[in-house]
Amino acid sequence: MSDPVIERILFNEQQIEQRIRDVAAEISKKYTGRELKLIGVLKGSIFFLTALASELKLPLKIDFLGISSFANKRGAPGMVRIEKDLDDSVEGEDVLLVEDIVDTGFTARYLLQNLAGRGPRSLALCTLLDRTSRRIVQVPVEYRCFEIPDRFVVGFGLDYKQLYRNLKYIAVLNLESGS
Ligand code: IMP
Ligand code: MG
């Protein structure tokens, strides 16, 4: 099988920047007068979190958690485990979970439930990409930059086998090309 190829660019650097600026303005307005803690999910969300954070006009704290997703014994997807926990407590804080993509929704639902149990003052979800056509479990997405079609995408933090995260654009990766 040959290497996957970039099939087409969905969102270029300028479009991503502009959209993040708009979403950041929305968030800044919503949390005016408050302090916000962004929680990034390693590693996919770090490019988005950095871009978003630098556009937010709010006192900000940043923390990260790392997860692994796996199938259960019968091969059903959707099991999530925290491999690297947050450094600090979120009790009493306004928390915004920052994701690269919400796909089936399993990851986001698990993380929202887990964080809610730690007593934040408020909790919301912000995602760069949303693929609602593949949703299996419902999750409240308060802020999202782009809805995407049912194709595998890479770039701006999203990977295929840990590669492509550093692309400045978001593109459809053709995993079956030439094979
Ligand atoms: P979930 O299905 O909503 O739990 O999403 C699980 C995770 O799968 C996301 O956080 C991404 O890390 C990864 N993922 C889902 N779709 C894509 C994609 O198109 N490209 C790269 N990673 C993806
Ligand atoms: Mg992810």
Side-chain angles (χ1 to χ4, degrees):
M1 197 172 112
S2 60
D3 287 340
V5 297
I6 299 287
E7 188 177 294
R8 72 192 152 98
I9 292 176
L10 283 180
F11 308 107
N12 65 31
E13 191 179 356
Q14 209 189 343
Q15 290 170 312
I16 296 169
E17 270 173 19
Q18 183 56 55
R19 185 65 190 127
I20 291 177
R21 225 175 283 137
D22 291 347
V23 170
E26 216 184 305
I27 295 169
S28 296
K29 199 171 156 198
K30 170 76 197 245
Y31 291 90
T32 303
R34 284 145 79 181
E35 203 175 76
L36 185 64
K37 178 175 277 184
L38 302 182
I39 293 184
V41 185
L42 297 170
K43 312 177 186 93
S45 75
I46 62 167
F47 291 76
F48 175 44
L49 183 141
T50 305
L52 184 71
S54 55
E55 293 294 338
L56 286 172
K57 314 261 185 301
L58 296 166
L60 271 192
K61 292 180 183 172
I62 294 172
D63 207 344
F64 292 97
L65 48 79
I67 55 162
S68 64
S69 314
F70 52 94
N72 71 12
K73 284 181 201 137
R74 281 190 252 116
M79 307 290 287
V80 182
R81 187 168 51 207
I82 294 181
E83 298 281 359
K84 182 223 169 284
D85 206 353
L86 299 172
D87 287 335
D88 300 311
S89 162
V90 295
E91 199 178 337
E93 298 187 304
D94 289 305
V95 171
L96 188 62
L97 179 65
V98 179
E99 264 285 22
D100 52 356
I101 181 168
V102 181
D103 187 31
T104 63
F106 282 119
T107 307
R109 184 183 64 169
Y110 171 81
L111 292 176
L112 286 173
Q113 281 176 352
N114 182 291
L115 293 170
R118 305 182 193 203
R121 174 181 166 186
S122 71
L123 178 62
L125 171 64
C126 176
T127 187
L128 175 63
L129 304 178
D130 195 355
R131 197 192 276 120
T132 52
S133 61
R134 277 177 39 94
R135 198 74 95 246
I136 296 174
V137 295
Q138 293 312 308
V139 281
V141 178
E142 270 87 2
Y143 307 98
R144 71 146 171 236
C145 293
F146 303 104
E147 167 80 39
I148 59 161
D150 189 7
R151 296 295 310 277
F152 194 85
V153 298
V154 292
F156 214 82
L158 290 111
D159 74 302
Y160 172 68
K161 297 186 177 175
Q162 300 302 327
L163 291 169
Y164 305 100
R165 293 192 198 275
N166 59 320
L167 298 180
K168 289 184 174 177
Y169 50 83
I170 294 165
V172 170
L173 191 71
N174 189 336
L175 301 173
E176 280 132 43
S177 60
S179 59

